[in-house]
């Protein structure tokens, strides 16, 4: 069993990068691996609670919660990036953590592989 | 006791999207990562500017005046102040017709001693090959 760390700066809506990150996380978990997912910049919105699913937009909340509940996916949002977007601790999806950017670097330290998706 | 090297490769334009700023702030956060690691373990970033990303390194940025934002110039200087390794691709600088004197090469005005380096892409390639993980931003 390995550990995959994925970091993303990409939007929840407007790019499909986070959809890819979640599908990759699920595939890795199904193969018996652990995944750390760091969401920073616009990607922090992935970790906000209260998302409503529309068929015209990416809707990842349900899948994220399922994977987090499995104990094999840890989602962590950049605290400063979230606060800058008016998204506060009480708005965070259950099971998701919030830390500063050094948490991500620490996660890469123990990762077997790192996939970083920068930009939008 | 171990050191993991991370290569931040910045290819995005300044200000248009958040990529280069986040790359710089994540690289700078290496200074506090020890709180999560065992004693003696370190994360060492190298920051490489390539392609459009070299435009982040232009001097005299007016981000505060025009956008009310801290400038990427300040982030690069803070990186140099913290002795991060900052590499700028020579071929891309030449492609844009940018002279070295137009680039942020040091942080002497804030007490930094480390200088940025303009290097051929082959050197950046070597740096990328030497790191444990690459992060394209």
């Amino acid at each position: 069993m390995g550990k995959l760390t994925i970091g993303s700066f990409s939007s929840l809506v407007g790019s499909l990068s986070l959809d890819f990150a979640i599908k990759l996380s699920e595939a890795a978990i199904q193969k018996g691996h652990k995944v750390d997912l760091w969401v920073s910049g616009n990607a922090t919105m992935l970790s906000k609670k209260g998302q409503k699913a529309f068929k015209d937009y990416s809707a990842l909340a349900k899948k994220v919660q399922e994977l987090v509940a499995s104990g094999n996916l840890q989602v962590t949002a950049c605290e400063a990036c979230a606060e800058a977007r008016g998204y506060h601790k009480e708005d965070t999806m259950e099971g998701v953590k919030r830390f500063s950017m050094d948490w991500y670097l620490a996660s890469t330290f123990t990762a077997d592989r790192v996939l970083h998706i920068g930009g939008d | 006791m171990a050191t993991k090297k991370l290569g931040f490769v910045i290819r995005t334009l300044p200000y248009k999207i958040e990529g280069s700023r986040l790359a710089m702030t994540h690289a700078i956060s290496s200074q506090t990562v020890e709180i999560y690691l065992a004693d003696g373990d370190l994360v060492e970033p190298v920051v490489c500017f390539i392609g459009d990303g070299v435009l982040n390194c232009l001097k005299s940025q007016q981000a505060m005046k025009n956008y009310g934002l801290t400038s990427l110039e300040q982030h690069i200087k803070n990186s140099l102040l913290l002795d991060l390794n900052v590499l700028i691709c020579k071929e891309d600088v030449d492609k844009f017709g940018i002279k070295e004197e137009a680039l942020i090469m040091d942080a002497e005005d804030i007490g930094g001693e480390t200088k940025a380096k303009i290097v051929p892409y082959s050197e950046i390639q070597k740096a990328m090959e030497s790191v444990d993980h690459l992060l394209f931003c």
Side-chain angles (χ1 to χ4, degrees):
Chain A
M1 188 178 77
K3 179 187 153 189
L4 172 66
T5 293
I6 302 174
S8 182
F9 298 163
S10 301
S11 316
L12 170 62
V13 176
S15 96
L16 291 173
S17 296
L18 283 176
D19 295 68
F20 168 75
I22 296 304
K23 282 185 183 296
L24 181 64
S25 299
E26 184 177 26
I29 289 166
Q30 282 171 353
K31 285 182 176 288
H33 305 302
K34 294 262 188 190
V35 180
D36 273 355
L37 176 60
W38 168 252
V39 285
S40 187
N42 287 338
T44 50
M45 302 316 282
L46 174 74
S47 60
K48 191 173 180 302
K49 74 177 177 190
Q51 295 172 35
K52 192 167 181 180
F54 292 99
K55 292 209 181 293
D56 274 344
Y57 305 106
S58 297
L60 301 171
K62 186 166 176 273
K63 179 57 71 180
V64 168
Q65 285 174 314
E66 284 171 13
L67 295 175
V68 167
S70 76
N72 294 311
L73 174 67
Q74 173 62 62
V75 179
T76 306
C78 172
E79 190 164 35
C81 301
E83 291 294 329
R85 287 161 174 81
Y87 148 30
H88 308 298
K89 192 172 183 181
E90 61 271 23
D91 304 318
T92 308
M93 187 186 288
E94 192 179 339
V96 170
K97 294 184 177 170
R98 286 164 42 123
F99 284 115
S100 51
M101 294 174 182
D102 44 13
W103 182 93
Y104 176 41
L105 270 56
S107 177
T108 69
F109 188 92
T110 52
D112 296 292
R113 292 287 184 275
V114 174
L115 175 67
H116 184 82
I117 306 167
D120 261 322
Chain B
M1 190 187 296
T3 298
K4 285 283 174 82
K5 293 177 81 174
L6 299 182
F8 289 87
V9 182
I10 299 175
R11 304 168 299 168
T12 49
L13 290 165
Y15 307 107
K16 183 173 169 61
I17 65 168
E18 210 179 356
S20 58
R21 178 182 298 272
L22 288 172
M24 299 301 301
T25 49
H26 279 76
I28 288 168
S29 77
S30 62
Q31 300 301 301
T32 53
V33 72
E34 300 96 271
I35 58 172
Y36 295 105
L37 303 176
D39 282 352
D41 288 345
L42 291 171
V43 172
E44 183 184 309
V46 53
V47 180
C48 305
F49 291 94
I50 64 170
D52 290 349
V54 300
L55 296 172
N56 287 277
C57 305
L58 286 172
K59 273 183 186 167
S60 304
Q61 295 178 24
Q62 301 295 317
M64 189 55 75
K65 181 180 167 190
N66 293 307
Y67 299 118
L69 291 174
T70 54
S71 72
L72 296 164
E73 178 169 11
Q74 196 58 50
H75 284 308
I76 293 171
K77 285 186 176 180
N78 287 340
S79 301
L80 294 169
L81 181 66
L82 296 167
D83 298 324
L84 302 194
N85 192 12
V86 176
L87 306 177
I88 307 168
C89 179
K90 182 179 188 314
E91 288 88 338
D92 291 320
V93 166
D94 289 346
K95 184 178 74 182
F96 285 114
I98 301 168
K99 304 287 182 207
E100 181 174 333
E101 49 274 26
L103 294 170
I104 306 152
M105 298 302 297
D106 62 63
E108 283 175 3
D109 58 323
I110 56 171
E113 294 176 356
T114 297
K115 293 185 187 304
K117 302 177 200 82
I118 299 172
V119 297
Y121 182 76
S122 57
E123 291 295 314
I124 288 178
Q125 180 73 34
K126 278 185 201 165
M128 291 196 292
E129 287 169 5
S130 73
V131 300
D132 295 288
H133 301 297
L134 273 172
L135 299 91
F136 284 88
C137 302

